Amino acid sequence: MSKYFSETVENARAHYAKMSDEAVAEKFSGNGFIAFISVEDRTYYVNTRIDGLAQLVMMEIAPGIHCTPESRSLVGDYVLKINESFKSCAIHIEENGTLYIKAEQRFDDGPVSTYSFHVMEMECIKILDAFEKVLDKLAGLRLITPEEADVEKVYDEHMKKIFNALRDKLLNDDHDEDDDLNEKIKKELEEGLEKELEEEIAAEFDKIFGKAENESDEDESKEKKPRRNRFLPRRKHHGGDESALPEKNDFESIVSADSEEDEN
């Protein structure tokens, strides 16, 4: 058993303790947690496992999408494109058609921090949030548009939409207590310096997903900084693993130039 196992479990317990009692439960085995996160019109189901022998944290999040037997090869083809574009967070389809995303974090050289559990969760949900509407369509054998068939375009347009919404919110917030900060934010937005707003936007993402992080300085001093390169969804430059996916099908056959957008 890894010497960091117990500390990783305690950090996971601290993370999930911030949820309401009705939304989370610890497994009887003591090596994981089950939780659900409600975000607007969707509920995400979280299954976190902590393997002391493998020295690995495995987090699986399901968005409540079920693929029919007829649609699994088409969904699998699209999922492969998504997995080729991001690192560590990978979408899978179970044998019964349940779709979920999985992230992993090792603790062989140090415990996984409470903050790392939070970031893993947020990054998984961010990817699902970008693609779940298209995946819903494919899972129900509905036609998608050429724009929806382009994974990078779907993700970029989704993140642009979120950034614009957060930008408008930040600009409309009352900064009377610090007019200099207000002017600074406006100037940066006008110049398109998105990186300078990273902290403000990250905080707003936390509010959107109902998971604001409130760790004290004392907690942070006890935990290692998250090893972000292990699970942040950055673009890949090589192919993904097809072993967990159904047999590929002719994906282009379901793409229709005349397909209508979702009603909502």
Side-chain angles (χ1 to χ4, degrees):
M1 189 70 68
S2 168
K3 63 179 180 179
Y4 298 118
F5 172 76
S6 297
E7 191 172 348
T8 296
V9 171
E10 287 303 316
N11 290 339
R13 186 175 291 118
H15 167 69
Y16 286 106
K18 296 173 184 178
M19 297 184 184
S20 66
D21 294 340
E22 295 78 14
V24 64
E26 186 170 354
K27 296 179 181 178
F28 287 119
S29 60
N31 65 348
F33 297 83
I34 300 292
F36 65 85
I37 304 171
S38 296
V39 181
E40 295 182 349
D41 60 346
R42 190 176 293 271
T43 297
Y44 297 99
Y45 301 90
V46 184
N47 178 18
T48 298
R49 293 176 288 158
I50 305 171
D51 191 325
L53 295 177
Q55 303 182 69
L56 187 68
V57 171
M58 294 163 282
M59 181 180 291
E60 300 173 355
I61 302 181
I65 296 176
H66 178 77
C67 307
T68 64
E70 297 79 12
S71 70
R72 288 172 196 173
S73 59
L74 293 170
V75 177
D77 198 11
Y78 192 81
V79 162
L80 180 61
K81 292 185 177 183
I82 297 174
N83 291 342
E84 286 176 343
S85 297
F86 300 97
K87 291 183 177 180
S88 297
C89 296
I91 298 177
H92 302 266
I93 304 172
E94 291 185 349
E95 291 184 2
N96 64 2
T98 299
L99 185 144
Y100 66 95
I101 190 169
K102 182 177 182 179
E104 297 181 347
Q105 174 84 328
R106 297 194 61 83
F107 52 86
D108 51 342
D109 60 351
V112 177
S113 70
T114 301
Y115 181 72
S116 294
F117 281 99
H118 172 71
V119 175
M120 290 173 68
E121 195 172 79
M122 292 293 296
E123 294 299 333
C124 285
I125 292 178
K126 186 162 62 176
I127 293 177
L128 289 175
D129 189 47
F131 296 104
E132 58 194 12
K133 288 185 177 179
V134 181
L135 292 171
D136 263 329
K137 279 187 173 183
L138 293 174
L141 287 178
R142 296 163 58 193
L143 297 178
I144 63 174
T145 65
E147 290 75 18
E148 291 173 325
D150 188 329
V151 167
E152 291 194 2
K153 181 176 293 185
V154 170
Y155 184 79
D156 290 343
E157 288 298 317
H158 179 78
M159 297 310 298
K160 180 179 179 181
K161 180 179 178 180
I162 290 180
F163 176 79
N164 288 336
L166 294 178
R167 178 193 61 187
D168 293 341
K169 185 180 187 304
L170 288 170
L171 286 177
N172 291 331
D173 280 347
D174 186 4
H175 294 287
D176 290 340
E177 296 180 359
D178 193 342
D179 290 337
D180 290 339
L181 175 61
N182 190 36
E183 290 302 318
K184 178 175 179 290
I185 292 177
K186 286 184 178 180
K187 184 174 185 296
E188 289 171 347
L189 286 169
E190 291 171 356
E191 295 176 355
L193 301 179
E194 300 182 11
K195 291 184 179 179
E196 298 297 327
L197 286 171
E198 182 176 342
E199 292 184 3
E200 289 91 342
I201 289 179
E204 292 300 326
F205 266 120
D206 289 346
K207 292 178 183 179
I208 289 175
F209 294 120
K211 289 291 298 169
E213 190 69 19
N214 295 314
E215 292 186 302
S216 64
D217 294 337
E218 181 179 354
D219 291 335
E220 292 177 353
S221 65
K222 295 181 181 179
E223 299 177 355
K224 287 191 173 184
K225 295 295 183 181
R227 291 162 286 179
R228 292 176 178 271
N229 62 308
R230 295 198 178 186
F231 47 76
L232 291 181
R234 295 174 182 171
R235 296 292 170 77
K236 285 183 180 177
H237 298 290
H238 54 80
D241 180 11
E242 301 184 26
S243 60
L245 298 175
E247 183 180 354
K248 292 183 66 175
N249 196 3
D250 182 10
F251 177 71
E252 302 300 330
S253 65
I254 200 169
V255 179
S256 170
D258 301 322
S259 179
E260 297 180 353
E261 297 293 332
D262 286 338
E263 295 180 358
N264 56 358

